[in-house]
Amino acid sequence: LIASVFDRQMRARTGLLADSLAKANEKLVQAALHDPLTHLPNRMLLQDRIEQAIEKARRRQLRFAVMFVDLDGFKAINDAFGHQVGDNLLVAISARVNRLLRAHDTFARLGGDEFVIVFQIEVPEDAAVVSERVIDAIGAPLTVDGIELQVTASLGIALYPEDATTERELMAHADAAMYYTKDSGRNGYTFFTESMHVAANRQLRLLQDMRRAVARNELILHYQPKYPASGDTIIGAEALVRWQHPELGLLGPDVFIPIAERSGLILQIGDWVLDHACAQLRQWHLAGHVDWTIAVNLSPMQFAAPNLPDIVADTLARHDVTARHLTLEITETTAMKDVEVTLAMLGKLTDMGVHISIDDFGTGYSSLLYLKRMPATELKIDRAFVQELEHNSEDAAIVASIVALGRSLQLRVVAEGVETAAQRQYLSDIGCDLLQGYHLGRPMDASSFLAMANTDKAA
Ligand code: C2E
Ligand code: MG
Ligand code: MG
């Protein structure tokens, strides 16, 4: 009797234990496969669902759509009202969209303000109908934390099986279509088409190749000389990255930096650029050019990384380069994106002694108030203005006022893209401090750069 009571108790207890283990397990799975904010499936679960959808559609000859949804202007709301409001907005919007969908549709959050919806369709028009509904649901005004807000969304759609038959391609194509919507004025939807195919495939391929580019030593730096406006002795260089692609040849940054930026690979590439630029500068210093400086471009994602000051400090120390010999270039648009964050980051960098240049100046919208507070060293006039100097009096006036502005803020003014003697003359007449451009020297590899500097000196 005792034994049987004991046994029953044991069994009950094991049962309880198994129960709570199962529950804990369920919670873990839920946490691993869902976004903690909206409780929607995350990227990993989405991938699985798309693969299942492909399997099912293949067996039963069905069609389905993969729809990318990206909110327009979400960043601005986050900046203006804070992350709490931004988070609550995301939750409210996902609840609205969820209400439109059927139980077996998948609605996932990739992160940030990016969502994906996967749903079965009979004909492509079905996807258009869903798009309209999603756009309406997101676009209707809503109140979050007492603030009345309105956002719009850009959608991109890829269809199984006509557009792609693998999870990766469906995602890449829907993404490409979404970017097409963004580029054509946002707030709408676009079906993937063959014309995007070439572009998307090329991007996909470049992205795959880029993952290996650093390890395979395929990146190289070219250096473009910087000169004082009133002289012909090089004061330093801007490092400009290129990619020696094994099949496609030498690729410029405009081709691959945007892809690197969207995939996050830019952080790795950026580290490589900074490291090599500092190593090169050290070589030049050892070769006797002890005053030369090096300018390195930073992408928005690098600039947003909180550990940037540590990376910069480590790199300088590793190569025995002093901070004042390094200039970091950030574009005006990056600098003005999140002004408080920018100010804090620039403060840290300039405290170390690093110089800061505001690149492509004139193409963004600077607030003078912020510009005044910004611990920058240099304004770099965008080359588009310089190029039009001789033909466009408006651009000449803009350049003259940027120079005046820079002077009054005690910033050094650099003009880039100087292609003719006339431009050079004009820019130095109105008081630019430094010049850079094909007329003075093209970007070139390190050994050509040194050879040129040495002949300059001899001349
Ligand atoms: P940027 O920083 O404004 O660089 C100047 C660009 O103007 C370079 O193009 C340079 O080759 C070009 N340029 C220089 N002189 C002249 C001229 O007289 N006429 C004309 N038409 N162009 C001239 P590049 O090397 O193709 O770089 C384009 C952009 O790519 C750069 O603009 C920069 O924003 C970005 N970039 C370059 N290297 C890096 C890098 O290492 N990291 C990051 N994040 N971005 C980079
Ligand atoms: Mg630059
Ligand atoms: Mg520039």
Side-chain angles (χ1 to χ4, degrees), residues 176-400:
M178 186 274 287
Y179 268 89
Y180 192 87
T181 308
K182 287 262 184 216
D183 286 343
S184 38
R186 308 166 151 210
N187 193 24
Y189 64 93
T190 312
F191 279 92
F192 177 78
T193 64
E194 279 303 316
S195 67
M196 289 172 216
H197 204 112
V198 183
N201 270 345
R202 193 178 143 89
Q203 299 224 339
L204 204 64
R205 163 120 192 259
L206 279 183
L207 178 58
Q208 282 164 7
D209 294 349
M210 212 187 305
R211 290 190 202 287
R212 292 184 292 253
V214 174
R216 292 189 183 173
N217 267 323
E218 290 170 1
L219 295 180
I220 45 178
L221 288 182
H222 278 180
Y223 301 89
Q224 185 175 36
K226 281 168 110 171
Y227 289 91
S230 54
D232 38 24
T233 326
I234 292 177
I235 63 117
E238 175 176 6
L240 296 158
V241 71
R242 273 100 184 86
W243 177 12
Q244 185 66 58
H245 190 284
E247 284 129 49
L248 301 172
L250 194 66
L251 302 178
D254 291 336
V255 177
F256 63 92
I257 293 284
I259 307 172
E261 177 77 32
R262 271 167 58 190
S263 64
L265 275 177
I266 190 67
L267 293 177
Q268 203 191 345
I269 294 177
D271 287 351
W272 183 91
V273 169
L274 186 65
D275 190 72
H276 277 68
C278 288
Q280 184 58 63
L281 185 67
R282 176 68 181 157
Q283 291 306 311
W284 285 335
H285 282 180
L286 291 175
H289 301 284
V290 292
D291 294 327
W292 280 5
T293 58
I294 193 90
V296 172
N297 293 285
L298 289 187
S299 80
M301 196 182 270
Q302 282 174 281
F303 190 68
N307 64 344
L308 176 66
D310 297 334
I311 293 176
V312 172
D314 283 353
T315 311
L316 289 170
R318 196 165 48 243
H319 297 292
D320 207 6
V321 167
T322 38
R324 70 186 168 85
H325 285 116
L326 174 67
T327 300
L328 296 175
E329 298 194 358
I330 56 167
T331 65
E332 180 185 21
T333 316
T334 309
M336 293 297 156
K337 213 182 243 169
D338 190 337
V339 173
E340 293 307 323
V341 173
T342 299
L343 288 176
M345 180 56 90
L346 291 188
K348 280 185 199 152
L349 293 168
T350 48
D351 281 350
M352 289 164 49
V354 171
H355 290 272
I356 301 292
S357 177
I358 311 289
D359 203 354
D360 300 347
F361 194 81
T363 56
Y365 297 92
S366 274
S367 150
L368 275 186
L369 209 66
Y370 289 130
L371 201 57
K372 215 173 98 185
R373 282 170 62 198
M374 221 163 258
T377 331
E378 186 178 282
L379 282 188
K380 215 166 175 185
I381 305 171
D382 190 66
R383 58 186 180 275
F385 298 113
V386 175
Q387 242 129 57
E388 292 298 313
L389 271 183
E390 285 141 282
H391 320 288
N392 188 331
S393 57
E394 220 169 89
D395 281 349
I398 292 175
V399 170

Side-chain angles (χ1 to χ4, degrees), residues 76-89:
I77 291 180
N78 241 341
D79 289 348
F81 303 107
H83 293 279
Q84 190 60 48
V85 171
D87 281 357
N88 292 342
L89 176 70

Side-chain angles (χ1 to χ4, degrees), residues 15-30:
L16 275 178
L17 201 62
D19 245 21
S20 59
L21 257 181
K23 272 193 194 125
N25 214 12
E26 209 173 282
K27 269 192 197 149
L28 272 179
V29 171
Q30 162 82 17

